[in-house]
Every structure is written in structure tokens, then in C-alpha cells.
Amino acid sequence: MSYPENLLYTKDHEWIKVDGERGTIGITDFAQSELGDIVYVELPKEGDTFAVHETFGSVESVKTVSEMFMPVSGTILEVNQALTENPELVNTDPYGAGWMIVVKIENPSELDSLMSASEYEDLINEGKER
Amino acid sequence: MSNKLTPLNEVHRRLGAKLISFAGWEMPVQYQGAVQEHLAVRTCAGLFDVSHMGEIEIKGNDALALVQKVTCNDASKLKDGQIQYSGLMTEKGTFVDDLLVHRLNAQHFLLCVNAANTEKDYAWICRHADQMNVEVLNTSDRYFQIALQGPLSLEILQPLTDTDLHSIKYYWFTFAKVANVPVMIARTGYTGEDGFEIYGQPEDAVPVWDAILDAGRPKGLVAAGLAARNTLRLEAKMMLYGNDIDETTSVLEADLGWILKLNKGDFLGREVLEKQKQAGVQRKIVGFEVLDKAPARDGYPIIVDSAEYGKVTSGSPSPYLKKNIGLAYLPTEKAVVGYEFAILVRGRQVPARVVETPFYKRKKN
């Protein structure tokens, strides 16, 4: 399981990479491994606006459908069109080619409540011990 | 209430299975991955622990008469060692359960029933056994059940057994030894592939499982969980009780006319079903393909002529066909191949089309 240091994480297993006011968002390695083979990703349109914690899309494996939640409030700048044809990129490269959306971050202070890589890793390991 | 454990629970943990609660049992939903397991069964073979399934035995001079009274198929056609798919009926011709009827001999039948329904079925059968010379036993705790499914099943199992597996025809069974353990081997399954369902005493489950898995691994055999079992049976359009059939769906609505033998003599639901057959049913189950990348899942609403009409009873991406498929009830006049309707997927209407079923049919050798 990998937890890149340069990302921030949510308890719902999304990650965000912050680059000025741009935030790239995806789901974590743990999330993709729990879901299994991903067959469909539903994403918003460019220009859509979402509040923090709001559902912005869903990701589906053969077994199940799982919603994705905004780590921060923002407007959608880009969506990963490659996932329409190749949703399995989320399995093979969750922190790279499997990214979901890029947002314009409305309120940078919301980033303060997100987890660091080590905090997120602790959360996952606690879950495993239960 | 804590879940029941099958005799193979420790094995599943050892194999790294993801365990879930299912029908009161802790069961493996997948090991390495549901898609991989599904494809292994279509191309090589998969090994399933289905020990949660219930066994009910009927013994005595009136055993056949009781089976005939509570089920819709004609069990008098069975010979010793033969198996029949059937329905356990309500008085309304709907399903208390669907089941496999095994005839050991004229005075002894073994019914393999759904885990979630075992207690209900047992009580229902007992209730209709009044005045009959029979003994009805819930023997579920006396059996493990392992399903070996896939085109290589026979090749994998043959070296482990003293019986010639070729001689067991589809929907027949025999008593034999597997890995030196006495078992009942039935040529049945719930995947649409050739294969065997093996019944034996719980204490022998682990050695039988290990022997089969060890022997089959080099040929591509994998342990497979409930997730793959569900997608496999859906591709083969086999009914799932609680989803596709239940106490509100009749045999004819479920398009299971082939297990309905109205001329066999009286049985529960016969009158209603006879009338239904003459008058026709209002709705019928169909297989559909979603004409969109979004999968339709169990419970998603169906839209017919701009109005909601029931729900998807089973829906999933099909790992083998790489399409989104499912089952649903439609008004009978629309239940024809080619008819297009809509499914509500998270607020969005996506188109779907009625297709030929089964979605997948194996090539016979």
C-alpha cells in the first residue's frame, strides 16, 4: 500500500495534490484495492461547483458502487476523460494516470483539516487491527 | 447475533479472503479479485465453499408423495441418483424457495435449498407432511458443500477420486471417495459451466478442499467467492432467491415454465398456476443489456412508458461479456427481445434493451 508524502488525505479515502489554487483529486491506493476491478467512473462536468464533503462522482467495481466526496470546496477545472474508456487506470495508477478531477480551491483553510500521509496510513492500519 | 462459520472458515482466512456476512453466515466474498475468479471459472476452474447451503432430507414411504405435494416439477420422473431443479411452492404458485431435488431412492430425497431459507423451508415442508408416513430432517449441519466449477473441473477432480466422473451425467450424482474421504458428487452448479458439487461430512471439508485446490492450481484453479458466484450465475440467467424470485413471483412470471408440470397431480399452487397459464401473466422476467457505460444494479428503478415499473432484480457489470447486464420484470407485452426501456441510475435515465438469455451459454463438447 502506498501513501505519497506530497498529498493530503480524507477519511473517505480521497487524496488531493495542491498546486497553488489548483487541487488534483483522486482516490487512494487503499480505496482502489478495497473496491477491486474498477469498471466505471462517473465524473462531474467542467464548471460545476461543489461544497466540501459534497458528492462529486462515483466509482464502480464489479461488486459495488462507491461515492466520492470533495476534500475541499471548489469549481471543476478539468476531469480525467481517459477514465471513460480506461477506468482500470484507477487500479493501476491511483495517484497518477488514475486522477479524477482538478478543482479551483475556493477556501484554502479547508486544507487544514485534511490528513498527512502518515496520519492517513495510521488510520488504515488502525482499521486493519480492528 | 453472530454469524455461523462453515468448516472451511480457517482456510478462507489462510487464503486471505475478504469475509462478509451473508444469510447468517460468514462467507468469502472474494480472494484475489472477483473478476479474476469469475474469468478463471469461465476458462479453467474455480473452487467455492457453498457449505452455507441448506440440506433437508425426506425419508419414508410417502417421501415422493411429499416432494410432489410441495414442489412444482415432477419428481416422479427422477431415477435413483438423479437431480432436478424445482420450486418449493406457496398455495399461490409463488416461490417459498428454489431448490435441487436429489433422489437417493424412492424412500429418500435430499433437497438442497438456499441458506437464508433453510429454516422457513423446513417448517413449510413439515407443515404439509401431516398424515404422511415420512420423516423430515434439517440435516444442514451434517454436510459441507464444495463446488468445483469450470471447463477443467473433470480433469482436475478425476485423479483424486475412485469413480469415473465421465459416467456422472449432468444433473446426476453418485457416492464416491475424493482424497480418500467418502462424499456425494453431483454434476450440478450455479455458474453456467460444467462442474461438480461435492457434499460430505464437515470434519472432512478441509482435506477435500486442500486436495482439490492443490491438484488444480497448476491447471489454473483458484478459490472463488460469492461475488464471482453471483456474476457467473447472472450471466447464465440462473435465478437468485430474494432478488429475482420470492413469495410474490410466480413460476410463470419468472419464465420457469420448464419446471412447472401441471399434469403430475395435485400440488401447492397448482390451481392458481393452471389459471395463470390459461389467462397469461401480467409480467415476465427478462434479461437486459444497458446501452450505456453505467452499470444497472440491484434495486435501481425501471422506467416503462415514462412511469416507474418495478426495479432491477439483479444487475451487474458482466466480467466475461464486458457489458452491463441484468434481470427485471416487464409487462408481458413488452417482455420481448429488442424492447427498449429506461433504468434510473442515480437520477439519470439510461437506456436498456431486452436481449436473448442466457447472456452466456457454454459451448458443449
mmCIF file of all heavy atoms in Angstrom, chain A residues 33-34 37 39-40 42 58 60-65 67 84-85, chain B residues 18 29-30 35 227 231 293-295 297 300 316-317 319 346 348:
data_model
loop_
_atom_site.group_PDB
_atom_site.id
_atom_site.type_symbol
_atom_site.label_atom_id
_atom_site.label_comp_id
_atom_site.label_asym_id
_atom_site.label_seq_id
_atom_site.Cartn_x
_atom_site.Cartn_y
_atom_site.Cartn_z
ATOM 1 N N SER A 33 -7.910 -0.674 -3.901
ATOM 2 C CA SER A 33 -7.708 -2.092 -3.619
ATOM 3 C C SER A 33 -8.933 -2.680 -2.923
ATOM 4 O O SER A 33 -9.285 -3.843 -3.128
ATOM 5 C CB SER A 33 -6.416 -2.315 -2.837
ATOM 6 O OG SER A 33 -6.674 -2.576 -1.493
ATOM 7 N N GLU A 34 -9.603 -1.879 -2.101
ATOM 8 C CA GLU A 34 -10.835 -2.344 -1.467
ATOM 9 C C GLU A 34 -11.943 -2.560 -2.506
ATOM 10 O O GLU A 34 -12.732 -3.490 -2.407
ATOM 11 C CB GLU A 34 -11.321 -1.308 -0.434
ATOM 12 C CG GLU A 34 -10.539 -1.329 0.857
ATOM 13 C CD GLU A 34 -10.775 -2.611 1.657
ATOM 14 O OE1 GLU A 34 -11.922 -2.863 2.051
ATOM 15 O OE2 GLU A 34 -9.808 -3.359 1.869
ATOM 16 N N ASP A 37 -11.591 -4.540 -9.133
ATOM 17 C CA ASP A 37 -11.524 -4.123 -10.531
ATOM 18 C C ASP A 37 -12.561 -3.051 -10.863
ATOM 19 O O ASP A 37 -13.759 -3.327 -10.845
ATOM 20 C CB ASP A 37 -11.733 -5.322 -11.442
ATOM 21 C CG ASP A 37 -10.745 -6.425 -11.135
ATOM 22 O OD1 ASP A 37 -9.625 -6.363 -11.650
ATOM 23 O OD2 ASP A 37 -11.099 -7.328 -10.346
ATOM 24 N N VAL A 39 -14.754 -0.664 -13.092
ATOM 25 C CA VAL A 39 -15.325 -0.804 -14.429
ATOM 26 C C VAL A 39 -16.010 0.468 -14.914
ATOM 27 O O VAL A 39 -16.356 0.582 -16.091
ATOM 28 C CB VAL A 39 -16.337 -1.973 -14.493
ATOM 29 C CG1 VAL A 39 -15.624 -3.305 -14.282
ATOM 30 C CG2 VAL A 39 -17.457 -1.812 -13.474
ATOM 31 N N TYR A 40 -16.227 1.424 -14.022
ATOM 32 C CA TYR A 40 -16.956 2.622 -14.432
ATOM 33 C C TYR A 40 -16.677 3.759 -13.454
ATOM 34 O O TYR A 40 -16.660 3.545 -12.238
ATOM 35 C CB TYR A 40 -18.462 2.344 -14.464
ATOM 36 C CG TYR A 40 -19.309 3.524 -14.885
ATOM 37 C CD1 TYR A 40 -19.241 4.025 -16.178
ATOM 38 C CD2 TYR A 40 -20.174 4.136 -13.972
ATOM 39 C CE1 TYR A 40 -20.021 5.108 -16.558
ATOM 40 C CE2 TYR A 40 -20.962 5.217 -14.357
ATOM 41 C CZ TYR A 40 -20.881 5.699 -15.654
ATOM 42 O OH TYR A 40 -21.646 6.762 -16.031
ATOM 43 N N GLU A 42 -17.955 7.769 -12.771
ATOM 44 C CA GLU A 42 -18.866 8.858 -13.148
ATOM 45 C C GLU A 42 -18.317 10.157 -12.571
ATOM 46 O O GLU A 42 -18.105 10.251 -11.365
ATOM 47 C CB GLU A 42 -20.262 8.571 -12.574
ATOM 48 C CG GLU A 42 -21.346 9.421 -13.209
ATOM 49 C CD GLU A 42 -22.735 8.871 -12.878
ATOM 50 O OE1 GLU A 42 -23.207 7.991 -13.611
ATOM 51 O OE2 GLU A 42 -23.313 9.305 -11.872
ATOM 52 N N SER A 58 -18.833 9.065 -8.737
ATOM 53 C CA SER A 58 -18.841 7.728 -8.157
ATOM 54 C C SER A 58 -17.904 6.835 -8.939
ATOM 55 O O SER A 58 -17.581 7.094 -10.101
ATOM 56 C CB SER A 58 -20.256 7.150 -8.160
ATOM 57 O OG SER A 58 -20.702 7.059 -9.489
ATOM 58 N N GLU A 60 -17.146 2.641 -9.687
ATOM 59 C CA GLU A 60 -17.826 1.356 -9.569
ATOM 60 C C GLU A 60 -16.903 0.205 -9.938
ATOM 61 O O GLU A 60 -16.209 0.236 -10.947
ATOM 62 C CB GLU A 60 -19.051 1.304 -10.502
ATOM 63 C CG GLU A 60 -20.033 2.410 -10.235
ATOM 64 C CD GLU A 60 -21.426 2.121 -10.767
ATOM 65 O OE1 GLU A 60 -21.795 0.930 -10.875
ATOM 66 O OE2 GLU A 60 -22.137 3.092 -11.070
ATOM 67 N N SER A 61 -16.921 -0.800 -9.081
ATOM 68 C CA SER A 61 -16.268 -2.064 -9.417
ATOM 69 C C SER A 61 -17.365 -3.040 -9.805
ATOM 70 O O SER A 61 -18.541 -2.697 -9.793
ATOM 71 C CB SER A 61 -15.485 -2.571 -8.213
ATOM 72 O OG SER A 61 -16.372 -2.866 -7.163
ATOM 73 N N VAL A 62 -16.976 -4.277 -10.125
ATOM 74 C CA VAL A 62 -17.996 -5.277 -10.450
ATOM 75 C C VAL A 62 -18.960 -5.427 -9.271
ATOM 76 O O VAL A 62 -20.166 -5.496 -9.437
ATOM 77 C CB VAL A 62 -17.332 -6.625 -10.805
ATOM 78 C CG1 VAL A 62 -18.362 -7.744 -10.848
ATOM 79 C CG2 VAL A 62 -16.632 -6.514 -12.152
ATOM 80 N N LYS A 63 -18.386 -5.455 -8.067
ATOM 81 C CA LYS A 63 -19.188 -5.709 -6.874
ATOM 82 C C LYS A 63 -20.053 -4.550 -6.439
ATOM 83 O O LYS A 63 -21.142 -4.731 -5.962
ATOM 84 C CB LYS A 63 -18.279 -6.000 -5.665
ATOM 85 C CG LYS A 63 -17.468 -7.209 -5.712
ATOM 86 C CD LYS A 63 -17.000 -7.586 -4.309
ATOM 87 C CE LYS A 63 -16.242 -6.503 -3.558
ATOM 88 N NZ LYS A 63 -14.889 -6.301 -4.036
ATOM 89 N N THR A 64 -19.518 -3.324 -6.512
ATOM 90 C CA THR A 64 -20.153 -2.252 -5.758
ATOM 91 C C THR A 64 -19.927 -0.873 -6.369
ATOM 92 O O THR A 64 -19.079 -0.693 -7.233
ATOM 93 C CB THR A 64 -19.642 -2.278 -4.295
ATOM 94 O OG1 THR A 64 -20.398 -1.348 -3.536
ATOM 95 C CG2 THR A 64 -18.184 -1.915 -4.206
ATOM 96 N N VAL A 65 -20.741 0.076 -5.910
ATOM 97 C CA VAL A 65 -20.578 1.455 -6.323
ATOM 98 C C VAL A 65 -20.253 2.277 -5.090
ATOM 99 O O VAL A 65 -20.827 2.073 -4.031
ATOM 100 C CB VAL A 65 -21.844 1.978 -7.051
ATOM 101 C CG1 VAL A 65 -23.098 1.603 -6.316
ATOM 102 C CG2 VAL A 65 -21.794 3.462 -7.277
ATOM 103 N N GLU A 67 -19.340 6.287 -3.643
ATOM 104 C CA GLU A 67 -19.354 7.716 -3.972
ATOM 105 C C GLU A 67 -18.034 8.366 -3.592
ATOM 106 O O GLU A 67 -17.323 7.892 -2.708
ATOM 107 C CB GLU A 67 -20.501 8.398 -3.229
ATOM 108 C CG GLU A 67 -21.854 7.930 -3.712
ATOM 109 C CD GLU A 67 -22.988 8.773 -3.168
ATOM 110 O OE1 GLU A 67 -22.903 9.190 -1.996
ATOM 111 O OE2 GLU A 67 -23.946 9.025 -3.926
ATOM 112 N N THR A 84 -13.082 7.397 -18.894
ATOM 113 C CA THR A 84 -14.287 6.921 -19.567
ATOM 114 C C THR A 84 -13.994 5.613 -20.296
ATOM 115 O O THR A 84 -14.743 4.651 -20.191
ATOM 116 C CB THR A 84 -14.766 7.974 -20.601
ATOM 117 O OG1 THR A 84 -14.789 9.239 -19.934
ATOM 118 C CG2 THR A 84 -16.147 7.654 -21.121
ATOM 119 N N GLU A 85 -12.895 5.603 -21.027
ATOM 120 C CA GLU A 85 -12.535 4.400 -21.776
ATOM 121 C C GLU A 85 -11.693 3.428 -20.955
ATOM 122 O O GLU A 85 -11.743 2.223 -21.180
ATOM 123 C CB GLU A 85 -11.770 4.776 -23.055
ATOM 124 C CG GLU A 85 -12.626 5.429 -24.133
ATOM 125 C CD GLU A 85 -13.872 4.605 -24.496
ATOM 126 O OE1 GLU A 85 -13.743 3.365 -24.628
ATOM 127 O OE2 GLU A 85 -14.960 5.200 -24.611
ATOM 128 N N LYS B 18 -11.602 -11.989 1.650
ATOM 129 C CA LYS B 18 -12.374 -10.932 2.297
ATOM 130 C C LYS B 18 -13.692 -11.580 2.709
ATOM 131 O O LYS B 18 -14.406 -12.147 1.884
ATOM 132 C CB LYS B 18 -12.612 -9.791 1.299
ATOM 133 C CG LYS B 18 -13.218 -8.576 1.929
ATOM 134 C CD LYS B 18 -13.288 -7.420 0.943
ATOM 135 C CE LYS B 18 -11.891 -6.919 0.592
ATOM 136 N NZ LYS B 18 -11.958 -5.827 -0.415
ATOM 137 N N VAL B 29 -16.278 -13.392 0.180
ATOM 138 C CA VAL B 29 -16.876 -12.709 -0.984
ATOM 139 C C VAL B 29 -15.895 -12.706 -2.146
ATOM 140 O O VAL B 29 -16.289 -12.788 -3.306
ATOM 141 C CB VAL B 29 -17.373 -11.293 -0.626
ATOM 142 C CG1 VAL B 29 -16.226 -10.376 -0.219
ATOM 143 C CG2 VAL B 29 -18.158 -10.680 -1.767
ATOM 144 N N GLN B 30 -14.599 -12.646 -1.814
ATOM 145 C CA GLN B 30 -13.573 -12.789 -2.845
ATOM 146 C C GLN B 30 -12.233 -13.096 -2.196
ATOM 147 O O GLN B 30 -12.044 -12.886 -1.003
ATOM 148 C CB GLN B 30 -13.463 -11.528 -3.696
ATOM 149 C CG GLN B 30 -12.992 -10.296 -2.922
ATOM 150 C CD GLN B 30 -12.636 -9.135 -3.837
ATOM 151 O OE1 GLN B 30 -13.406 -8.757 -4.698
ATOM 152 N NE2 GLN B 30 -11.459 -8.568 -3.649
ATOM 153 N N VAL B 35 -13.236 -10.390 -10.433
ATOM 154 C CA VAL B 35 -13.190 -10.535 -11.892
ATOM 155 C C VAL B 35 -12.270 -11.692 -12.286
ATOM 156 O O VAL B 35 -12.621 -12.541 -13.100
ATOM 157 C CB VAL B 35 -12.733 -9.219 -12.563
ATOM 158 C CG1 VAL B 35 -12.494 -9.425 -14.047
ATOM 159 C CG2 VAL B 35 -13.778 -8.133 -12.335
ATOM 160 N N ALA B 227 -18.891 -13.167 -4.709
ATOM 161 C CA ALA B 227 -19.038 -12.119 -5.731
ATOM 162 C C ALA B 227 -18.983 -12.750 -7.120
ATOM 163 O O ALA B 227 -19.831 -12.483 -7.978
ATOM 164 C CB ALA B 227 -17.957 -11.050 -5.571
ATOM 165 N N THR B 231 -21.978 -13.113 -10.190
ATOM 166 C CA THR B 231 -21.882 -12.642 -11.576
ATOM 167 C C THR B 231 -21.918 -13.815 -12.558
ATOM 168 O O THR B 231 -22.471 -13.692 -13.647
ATOM 169 C CB THR B 231 -20.616 -11.780 -11.795
ATOM 170 O OG1 THR B 231 -19.480 -12.432 -11.229
ATOM 171 C CG2 THR B 231 -20.779 -10.417 -11.136
ATOM 172 N N LYS B 293 -22.513 3.138 -20.411
ATOM 173 C CA LYS B 293 -21.394 2.586 -19.643
ATOM 174 C C LYS B 293 -21.726 2.402 -18.164
ATOM 175 O O LYS B 293 -21.022 1.711 -17.442
ATOM 176 C CB LYS B 293 -20.175 3.496 -19.788
ATOM 177 C CG LYS B 293 -19.490 3.337 -21.135
ATOM 178 C CD LYS B 293 -18.246 4.202 -21.201
ATOM 179 C CE LYS B 293 -17.575 4.084 -22.559
ATOM 180 N NZ LYS B 293 -17.028 2.732 -22.806
ATOM 181 N N ALA B 294 -22.772 3.061 -17.695
ATOM 182 C CA ALA B 294 -23.117 2.976 -16.274
ATOM 183 C C ALA B 294 -23.802 1.648 -15.964
ATOM 184 O O ALA B 294 -24.810 1.321 -16.571
ATOM 185 C CB ALA B 294 -24.030 4.121 -15.890
ATOM 186 N N PRO B 295 -23.264 0.874 -15.015
ATOM 187 C CA PRO B 295 -23.930 -0.379 -14.654
ATOM 188 C C PRO B 295 -25.279 -0.128 -13.985
ATOM 189 O O PRO B 295 -25.450 0.858 -13.279
ATOM 190 C CB PRO B 295 -22.965 -1.019 -13.641
ATOM 191 C CG PRO B 295 -21.668 -0.307 -13.816
ATOM 192 C CD PRO B 295 -22.005 1.074 -14.280
ATOM 193 N N ARG B 297 -27.748 -1.659 -11.212
ATOM 194 C CA ARG B 297 -27.550 -2.569 -10.089
ATOM 195 C C ARG B 297 -28.878 -2.958 -9.443
ATOM 196 O O ARG B 297 -29.910 -2.331 -9.691
ATOM 197 C CB ARG B 297 -26.628 -1.915 -9.063
ATOM 198 C CG ARG B 297 -25.244 -1.696 -9.649
ATOM 199 C CD ARG B 297 -24.253 -1.203 -8.627
ATOM 200 N NE ARG B 297 -22.954 -0.989 -9.260
ATOM 201 C CZ ARG B 297 -22.023 -1.937 -9.412
ATOM 202 N NH1 ARG B 297 -22.224 -3.158 -8.972
ATOM 203 N NH2 ARG B 297 -20.885 -1.664 -10.019
ATOM 204 N N TYR B 300 -32.294 -0.740 -8.747
ATOM 205 C CA TYR B 300 -32.455 0.511 -9.497
ATOM 206 C C TYR B 300 -33.837 0.502 -10.160
ATOM 207 O O TYR B 300 -34.258 -0.509 -10.720
ATOM 208 C CB TYR B 300 -31.382 0.652 -10.586
ATOM 209 C CG TYR B 300 -30.004 1.070 -10.089
ATOM 210 C CD1 TYR B 300 -29.688 1.085 -8.738
ATOM 211 C CD2 TYR B 300 -29.015 1.459 -10.998
ATOM 212 C CE1 TYR B 300 -28.424 1.463 -8.305
ATOM 213 C CE2 TYR B 300 -27.747 1.843 -10.567
ATOM 214 C CZ TYR B 300 -27.455 1.840 -9.226
ATOM 215 O OH TYR B 300 -26.212 2.218 -8.794
ATOM 216 N N SER B 316 -25.552 -6.071 -12.863
ATOM 217 C CA SER B 316 -24.111 -6.028 -12.600
ATOM 218 C C SER B 316 -23.349 -5.854 -13.903
ATOM 219 O O SER B 316 -23.846 -6.229 -14.964
ATOM 220 C CB SER B 316 -23.684 -7.345 -11.946
ATOM 221 O OG SER B 316 -22.278 -7.404 -11.832
ATOM 222 N N PRO B 317 -22.140 -5.324 -13.804
ATOM 223 C CA PRO B 317 -21.254 -5.465 -14.956
ATOM 224 C C PRO B 317 -20.982 -6.954 -15.156
ATOM 225 O O PRO B 317 -20.846 -7.680 -14.178
ATOM 226 C CB PRO B 317 -19.981 -4.744 -14.517
ATOM 227 C CG PRO B 317 -20.367 -3.910 -13.337
ATOM 228 C CD PRO B 317 -21.508 -4.618 -12.684
ATOM 229 N N PRO B 319 -18.396 -9.593 -16.119
ATOM 230 C CA PRO B 319 -16.942 -9.645 -16.319
ATOM 231 C C PRO B 319 -16.540 -10.374 -17.593
ATOM 232 O O PRO B 319 -15.523 -10.047 -18.186
ATOM 233 C CB PRO B 319 -16.447 -10.421 -15.093
ATOM 234 C CG PRO B 319 -17.509 -10.251 -14.070
ATOM 235 C CD PRO B 319 -18.794 -10.204 -14.841
ATOM 236 N N ARG B 346 -28.889 6.718 -10.424
ATOM 237 C CA ARG B 346 -28.607 7.941 -9.652
ATOM 238 C C ARG B 346 -29.214 9.182 -10.311
ATOM 239 O O ARG B 346 -28.517 10.153 -10.619
ATOM 240 C CB ARG B 346 -27.103 8.116 -9.451
ATOM 241 C CG ARG B 346 -26.505 7.105 -8.471
ATOM 242 C CD ARG B 346 -25.032 7.314 -8.275
ATOM 243 N NE ARG B 346 -24.279 7.097 -9.505
ATOM 244 C CZ ARG B 346 -23.948 5.901 -9.969
ATOM 245 N NH1 ARG B 346 -24.248 4.827 -9.309
ATOM 246 N NH2 ARG B 346 -23.285 5.789 -11.096
ATOM 247 N N ARG B 348 -30.384 9.637 -13.271
ATOM 248 C CA ARG B 348 -30.245 9.766 -14.707
ATOM 249 C C ARG B 348 -30.892 8.556 -15.373
ATOM 250 O O ARG B 348 -30.675 7.422 -14.957
ATOM 251 C CB ARG B 348 -28.754 9.811 -15.067
ATOM 252 C CG ARG B 348 -28.450 10.022 -16.531
ATOM 253 C CD ARG B 348 -26.970 10.372 -16.706
ATOM 254 N NE ARG B 348 -26.076 9.258 -16.421
ATOM 255 C CZ ARG B 348 -25.592 8.433 -17.359
ATOM 256 N NH1 ARG B 348 -25.918 8.609 -18.627
ATOM 257 N NH2 ARG B 348 -24.781 7.445 -17.047
#
